[in-house]
Amino acid sequence: MNSIVDFFNAFSETINRLWQGSGFTNIQLSQIGMILIAFVLLYLAIVKKFEPLLLLPIAFGMILTNMPMAGIINMNFYDPDFITSLGYPENTIFAYREVLNEGGLLDYIYLGIKLGIYPPLIFLGIGALTDFGPLLANPRSLLLGAAAQIGIFVAFIGALLLGFTPWEAASIGIIGGADGPTAIFVTKTLAPHLLGAVAVAAYAYMALVPVIQPPIMRALTTKKERGVVMEQLRPVSSTEKIIFPIAVTILVALIIPDALTLVGMLMLGNLLRESKVCERLVKTAGNELLNIVTIFLGVSVGATATASSFLTSRTLLIIGLGVIAFGFGTAAGVLLGKLMYRLSGGKVNPLIGSAGVSAVPMAARVSQKVGSDENPSNFLLMHAMGPNVAGVIGSAVAAGILLALLR
Amino acid sequence: MISVLNAGNWAEQYSTIGERAFLSITMTVVGIVIVVFVLTLLTVVVSLMSRLINGKPGGKETTAPKRQPEAAAEKAAVEPAGSSAEPGASASERASETDGALIAVITAAVSLALSDSSQPSAGFKIRRIRRV
């Protein structure tokens, strides 16, 4: 009889321990809130198809990191105060002993962000997929790519005045570059605690480019300007395409060394493509490697979005400043496009200026769409691809400048 | 600026809104100037590269619609008139092609008419027609 009672006692104690150690008793309201936000992002990615390749892994990473007791990632291992309290030397970027001994799966994957590995690898893949031909055919596109970076600095001013530190303000401003990997690269260096909010805002706005840009484009242009049919671009020789990435790499490295990591990898990928002798590497960089890194990047960025870092009023400010950055970037590109329209005697359609905010190829498609709405026989896509890829270079250069000034 | 901004004391040095506005505008101007400078330099380099490789300015856009008539004119200049179906030299050719088709139709009709009669089909050839 006693043995039966002992058995039931042991059984109930085991069940009780399991219950006490389960997520049901340890989950907090803020974590439930984060999981609900992740559901919204999953909905946007799966149903609305908003940047699903990144929003879906980010959202799932948010679910993983906000599950209680799982220990799949320990963000305090990357907290400077915690690292110092463990007796590590100053400026140690993560508690490597703890990560190696006690880290979860995402702790190891997150190192790819913490050490700045994933964004340049993404740029390698983007370079392998990018044709700089439209930009080479019309080099003035580069100026449109420069103008659209103004949004970064406008948001930077706004963030600083709203009480963010210069390092946080730079990370928020870079959302205006409409370039996810660049935003992650800058934020992980200058304000790692904002990584989740900045990444979510950057990718959400990139998905919302077709919603954000057209009203600004229409407001700043006349019907006549939108209807301009641009002349066909000249063909670009393979020699030009091969020399371009080498020249850009050397030039950028000499002027802004901090931009070299991103620009150099972008140009390496492009040189692989244009050389036409590395087909296997191009295929790997543009497909398998890019896809693998995208999964790791998305999941680990999502994993940084813990309730304590994400559910704050500052996140709302970041999201608000992000849309301001996008808006000003778009407006600056269109306004420079208008200037080019005047100077060229009406040969340049100002709508291509909005594509300078990067977000390849979505922003170029928006230029095409708004242009064809005005004149159905107008095909601006290839003309807009020039400023669009120039925007990638421009945002990487702007990132390099912010890093050089603030690191 | 880099030496001024360090995480330890920046908030003390830029404590008022005015000081922060000054800091942000200064950094913005520096940033925009450098971005524009780098991309302008790249524009110049690309244009020069294009000029060296192609022997013409890289920024100049040429159009297919323009190039085609130019090419046609060049072709017409080096080829004898009527050697191809170029739009400019084809009015008389088009008329002769129409006449040829008409001759073929008339020949077929005459041939059919003759084959229906009791007479054996005579050898004939329609050489020319005249419009009235």
Side-chain angles (χ1 to χ4, degrees):
Chain A
M1 188 65 186
N2 281 343
S3 61
I4 294 173
V5 172
D6 289 345
F7 169 76
F8 276 109
N9 283 340
F11 180 79
S12 64
E13 191 177 339
T14 306
I15 293 294
N16 190 39
R17 280 185 185 172
L18 279 174
W19 176 251
Q20 292 300 325
S22 75
F24 288 109
T25 51
N26 290 285
I27 196 161
Q28 296 168 358
L29 203 59
S30 58
Q31 290 172 317
I32 294 172
M34 286 303 296
I35 291 168
L36 290 176
I37 290 172
F39 286 164
V40 172
L41 294 179
L42 282 176
Y43 171 79
L44 291 176
I46 296 169
V47 180
K48 296 292 181 184
K49 296 188 171 46
F50 282 5
E51 292 285 337
L53 298 183
L54 266 153
L55 271 192
L56 195 149
I58 286 175
F60 207 81
M62 285 170 72
I63 293 175
L64 292 176
T65 199
N66 285 290
M67 284 299 180
M69 311 298 284
I72 199 163
I73 189 167
N74 301 278
M75 287 311 294
N76 55 340
F77 292 167
Y78 310 94
D79 178 13
D81 295 334
F82 182 74
I83 294 169
T84 309
S85 72
L86 293 175
Y88 283 95
E90 199 179 348
N91 294 330
T92 303
I93 56 173
F94 66 99
Y96 45 85
R97 281 193 300 267
E98 283 66 24
V99 168
L100 291 175
N101 294 322
E102 304 162 32
L105 173 66
L106 291 184
D107 277 309
Y108 307 125
I109 295 177
Y110 177 64
L111 288 180
I113 289 182
K114 196 67 196 170
L115 300 175
I117 297 170
Y118 296 150
L121 287 180
I122 296 259
F123 261 56
L124 178 75
I126 293 170
L129 295 173
T130 302
D131 177 12
F132 284 103
L135 186 147
L136 291 169
N138 183 8
R140 285 172 296 181
S141 302
L142 278 159
L143 299 177
L144 293 168
Q149 307 313 316
I150 284 175
I152 293 175
F153 295 99
V154 171
F156 172 77
I157 294 173
L160 207 52
L161 295 180
L162 283 171
F164 288 94
T165 68
W167 298 270
E168 291 171 338
S171 303
I172 295 165
I174 203 72
I175 296 171
D179 197 324
T182 306
I184 290 168
F185 191 73
V186 170
T187 308
K188 74 90 191 165
T189 307
L190 299 181
H193 54 287
L194 297 183
L195 193 57
V198 168
V200 167
Y203 283 108
Y205 287 135
M206 281 167 65
L208 289 172
V209 160
V211 178
I212 296 170
Q213 285 195 321
I216 300 169
M217 295 160 76
R218 290 195 187 96
L220 293 175
T221 53
T222 63
K223 194 176 173 65
K224 184 184 172 192
E225 288 168 343
R226 291 195 295 273
V228 169
V229 178
M230 291 180 69
E231 294 177 343
Q232 188 176 322
L233 294 169
R234 71 176 176 86
V236 176
S237 69
S238 59
T239 310
E240 287 173 85
K241 289 184 175 180
I242 289 172
I243 293 174
F244 177 72
I246 301 168
V248 170
T249 304
I250 293 172
L251 206 63
V252 169
L254 291 175
I255 300 172
I256 314 164
D258 282 288
L260 184 62
T261 310
L262 292 175
V263 174
M265 294 304 276
L266 179 75
M267 293 301 151
L268 171 61
N270 191 248
L271 184 59
L272 292 174
R273 169 197 167 98
E274 299 301 346
S275 68
K276 302 201 187 312
V277 293
C278 303
E279 289 303 321
R280 283 165 51 197
L281 301 188
V282 173
K283 184 174 172 291
T284 301
N287 292 285
E288 290 84 357
L289 181 64
L290 187 59
N291 292 338
I292 290 168
V293 176
T294 299
I295 294 170
F296 287 171
L297 183 82
V299 174
S300 44
V301 162
T304 64
T306 55
S308 58
S309 69
F310 197 90
L311 285 182
T312 65
S313 57
R314 289 156 68 90
T315 300
L316 291 177
L317 282 176
I318 291 169
I319 290 169
L321 287 164
V323 78
I324 288 171
F326 254 71
F328 273 93
T330 303
V334 173
L335 289 175
L336 185 63
K338 278 172 78 83
L339 183 64
M340 286 184 169
Y341 167 83
R342 296 274 163 82
L343 295 177
S344 66
K347 289 181 181 172
V348 175
N349 191 318
L351 295 178
I352 65 169
S354 65
V357 297
S358 196
V360 181
M362 186 83 82
R365 284 187 196 147
V366 171
S367 298
Q368 159 68 22
K369 173 77 170 52
V370 177
S372 62
D373 285 348
E374 206 60 58
N375 178 356
S377 64
N378 202 355
F379 294 98
L380 291 175
L381 187 63
M382 289 313 289
H383 298 285
M385 281 307 291
N388 210 188
V389 293
V392 178
I393 299 173
S395 57
V397 169
I401 293 166
L402 291 172
L403 290 173
L405 291 174
L406 293 167
R407 186 148 57 179
Chain B
M1 186 177 297
I2 300 169
S3 59
V4 170
L5 271 180
N6 76 64
N9 64 359
W10 86 273
E12 292 166 15
Q13 287 187 312
Y14 300 94
S15 55
T16 66
I17 289 285
E19 287 168 343
R20 289 190 179 194
F22 174 76
L23 171 70
S24 59
I25 290 169
T26 307
M27 287 187 63
T28 295
V29 170
V30 170
I32 289 173
V33 165
I34 297 175
V35 170
V36 171
F37 171 72
V38 171
L39 294 186
T40 305
L41 199 60
L42 283 177
T43 307
V44 172
V45 168
V46 169
S47 299
L48 286 176
M49 182 178 75
S50 173
R51 192 188 291 260
L52 286 173
I53 292 171
N54 302 323
K56 62 180 180 181
K60 189 176 180 180
E61 293 166 356
T62 52
T63 65
K66 266 188 187 171
R67 281 199 300 271
Q68 283 165 358
E70 285 166 8
E74 284 171 14
K75 197 175 179 182
V78 295
E79 287 182 6
S83 64
S84 66
E86 296 298 335
S90 62
S92 60
E93 279 183 6
R94 265 194 239 123
S96 68
E97 280 173 14
T98 310
D99 285 353
L102 196 56
I103 288 170
V105 170
I106 292 171
T107 304
V110 171
S111 178
L112 186 65
L114 290 176
S115 66
D116 280 347
S117 66
S118 57
Q119 292 182 349
S121 58
F124 69 90
K125 192 172 186 178
I126 298 173
R127 291 183 183 277
R128 193 165 70 86
I129 58 167
R130 186 161 61 96
R131 295 172 188 278
V132 291

